[in-house]
Amino acid sequence: MTLLLFMAALLAVATLGAALIALFTSSTVVAVLSAGLVSLFASVMFLLLAAPDVAMTEAAIGSGLTTFLFFFVLGRIRREGTK
Amino acid sequence: MSLVQLSLATGFLLILLGLYGALTNRDIIRMIVSFTIADTGVNVVLVAVGYLPGREAPILDTIPVAEAASRITDPVPQALVLTAIVIGLGVTALMLAYAYRLFRARGSLDISEFTELKW
Amino acid sequence: MNFTTRKAIPLVLLLLLGSVFYALFAGYTPDETLNRTASYYASQTVQETGAQNVVTAIIVTYRGLDTLGEVTVLFLTAAIVGLVLAHSKAPKSRSGSGFLPSGELLTTGTRMLVPVILLFGAYVFLNGHLTPGGGFQGGAIVASAILLMLLSDPAQRFSHRLISRIESSAGLTYVIIGLLGMLFAGGFLDNRILPLGSFGSILSAGVIPLIYALIGLKVGAEFSSILTSLEETEDAQ
């Protein structure tokens, strides 16, 4: 039980750290990747909270597809550049 | 500090951090990133509220049906959050599409360039 | 408004919100037992729906109308994203820029992995009533197969016609099954129009596997449509 709690505390610190990186980094690409990392850590936390369904959804949608949506839009914007 | 309190604190802090980022960032893409972080925080809070300490996931493959009500966690918030995550992706996609449209119109992603509705 | 007040206003707002959150956090004690709704679901799910996964039973049967509304919202989102990006033709002069040819590894890997990923998606949404997983997760996995194909060949075009055919026929079948539930069983989207079967086998729980497969196809088609319309650039032609 204490091991579980220790893991959860580590996970919470990692989640908040990734969120802080996402907010205060100067590069947008790093921010998008850190936001995906927040989602991934949150999905492990859902697993600890006995919600495997939610964990699967968050891992597939929140951290997978959302990140790629951001990259597609960033790619379009970079290709067109500053007109 | 229990598991529930830890996750609740994480969720609330994620909401606050996300809102702070959305309010202070100038770049539209960065605002959308902050919104997705706040979204994740809301989901963590909801699942943590539905968790009962020491209980198992609401899947009755090893748990006998007669004992289900005393051994599983609350399934309702989980169903709610499942739908919230899917809708969250839809909302993010819409925000990104409009951000791209704004970029096409102005050639910039800085929110302070868009001043038509400012007074 | 000068610079310092502009910085201070968000902090004050967040401080207020944070104090509300702190009050909620400090006053929260986890329940000892399930509330009435949850204990009803926990004790009656197996008798009434025959599903092992209680979350699936809630999403597909007890709150089936909500799920129908949700996939409709997702459909509207996909349609609006397509509409917003429809007339954004990039300048012709930059045609083809930014597309490096994808490597041999990615091309071969895509050819090998896409059928496996599609199969895994189908597995996830057909076993939604037995194990964790279901239509939304399976749909996302199917869409990630499409995503891999898009990454290996960015200039590839998917038939929007095919995607919208799959999506609309899945939606229509979903509504028809719901109406059949009104005719032959207790109400809209009641899963007992097919026999409940033996508890724990794949062909059990009435129409839940069928409905979840339809949701999986619909969600997969919607996500694929969002991904392709965000990725496709007119200049790649």
Side-chain angles (χ1 to χ4, degrees):
Chain A
M1 195 58 209
T2 44
L3 184 71
L4 189 76
L5 208 60
F6 177 70
M7 263 177 67
L10 214 62
L11 205 62
V13 172
T15 315
L16 293 174
L20 284 174
I21 291 175
L23 290 190
F24 295 111
T25 177
S26 57
S27 143
T28 309
V29 174
V30 174
V32 171
L33 284 177
S34 313
L37 204 60
V38 171
S39 272
L40 206 60
F41 285 139
S43 85
V44 181
M45 189 168 266
F46 290 143
L47 205 59
L48 293 184
L49 289 171
D53 280 287
V54 184
M56 263 180 99
T57 319
E58 180 79 37
I61 296 176
S63 73
L65 292 181
T66 309
T67 311
F68 275 100
L69 284 185
F70 275 108
F71 277 127
F72 283 159
V73 171
L74 283 179
R76 283 183 99 141
I77 286 171
R78 198 187 59 190
R79 264 201 298 282
E80 287 172 34
T82 46
K83 281 184 284 191
Chain B
M1 199 85 171
S2 68
L3 182 59
V4 176
Q5 283 175 324
L6 206 62
S7 342
L8 270 181
T10 312
F12 282 141
L13 284 175
L14 281 181
I15 298 175
L16 288 178
L17 282 176
L19 287 181
Y20 175 76
L23 287 173
T24 53
N25 266 314
R26 285 273 169 243
D27 188 340
I28 296 180
I29 300 280
R30 299 295 290 272
M31 291 169 78
I32 301 174
V33 170
S34 309
F35 269 118
T36 62
I37 291 175
D39 195 14
T40 311
V42 173
N43 293 337
V44 172
V45 168
L46 275 176
V47 172
V49 166
Y51 179 72
L52 307 182
R55 296 201 179 198
E56 295 171 52
I59 293 167
L60 307 177
D61 50 354
T62 53
I63 304 171
V65 177
E67 297 174 17
S70 59
R71 282 184 61 184
I72 64 172
T73 61
D74 195 343
V76 183
Q78 298 191 14
L80 196 71
V81 170
L82 199 71
T83 57
I85 291 172
V86 179
I87 294 297
L89 177 74
V91 172
T92 309
L94 263 186
M95 288 197 281
L96 283 171
Y98 280 114
Y100 177 70
R101 253 327 250 272
L102 284 177
F103 177 76
R104 290 299 307 248
R106 293 292 168 81
S108 163
L109 279 173
D110 194 338
I111 193 77
S112 51
E113 306 251 326
F114 302 96
T115 50
E116 280 88 354
L117 288 177
K118 198 175 176 182
W119 73 89
Chain C
M1 195 186 330
N2 63 30
F3 192 67
T4 45
T5 48
R6 182 173 286 180
K7 282 256 175 193
I9 286 175
L11 281 177
V12 171
L13 282 176
L14 288 178
L15 213 63
L16 289 175
L17 193 62
S19 57
V20 173
F21 283 166
Y22 181 75
L24 282 175
F25 175 72
Y28 179 75
T29 46
D31 291 342
E32 286 298 313
T33 54
L34 293 178
N35 56 34
R36 281 180 64 191
T37 321
S39 59
Y40 177 84
Y41 289 147
S43 56
Q44 301 297 313
T45 293
V46 172
Q47 287 169 32
E48 289 186 354
T49 68
Q52 275 188 359
N53 188 342
V54 182
V55 178
T56 298
I58 292 176
I59 288 180
V60 179
T61 303
Y62 292 118
R63 307 280 169 94
L65 197 61
D66 287 2
T67 309
L68 184 61
E70 189 201 351
V71 286
T72 312
V73 168
L74 212 57
F75 163 70
L76 282 176
T77 313
I80 294 172
V81 168
L83 186 72
V84 168
L85 297 177
H87 299 294
S88 53
K89 274 197 167 36
K92 283 284 178 214
S93 59
R94 294 183 164 270
S95 67
S97 64
F99 286 143
L100 293 173
S102 57
E104 183 68 30
L105 201 61
L106 186 57
T107 321
T108 316
T110 304
R111 216 177 294 140
M112 279 170 60
L113 281 179
V114 162
V116 182
I117 295 176
L118 287 177
L119 193 67
F120 180 60
Y123 169 82
V124 166
F125 61 63
L126 284 176
N127 281 285
H129 57 303
L130 302 178
T131 52
F136 296 108
Q137 295 92 328
I141 292 169
V142 168
S144 70
I146 307 285
L147 175 67
L148 191 57
M149 284 160 75
L150 274 178
L151 286 180
S152 76
D153 184 7
Q156 190 167 7
R157 287 292 170 270
F158 289 93
S159 161
H160 281 287
R161 215 181 151 79
L162 178 69
I163 290 178
S164 61
R165 283 268 170 78
I166 293 176
E167 205 257 307
S168 50
S169 54
L172 194 65
T173 322
Y174 187 11
V175 175
I176 288 175
I177 288 177
L179 291 175
L180 285 179
M182 279 175 92
L183 281 180
F184 299 112
F188 191 67
L189 284 172
D190 195 321
N191 70 324
R192 286 171 291 188
I193 56 175
L194 289 179
L196 291 186
S198 63
F199 178 68
S201 67
I202 183 157
L203 287 179
S204 64
V207 283
I208 285 183
L210 189 60
I211 291 180
Y212 237 5
L214 290 172
I215 293 177
L217 284 178
K218 197 167 157 63
V219 169
E222 279 152 358
F223 282 166
S224 310
S225 134
I226 291 178
L227 283 171
T228 48
S229 55
L230 270 176
E231 197 272 347
E232 273 177 12
T233 41
E234 305 291 331
D235 61 353
Q237 284 167 353

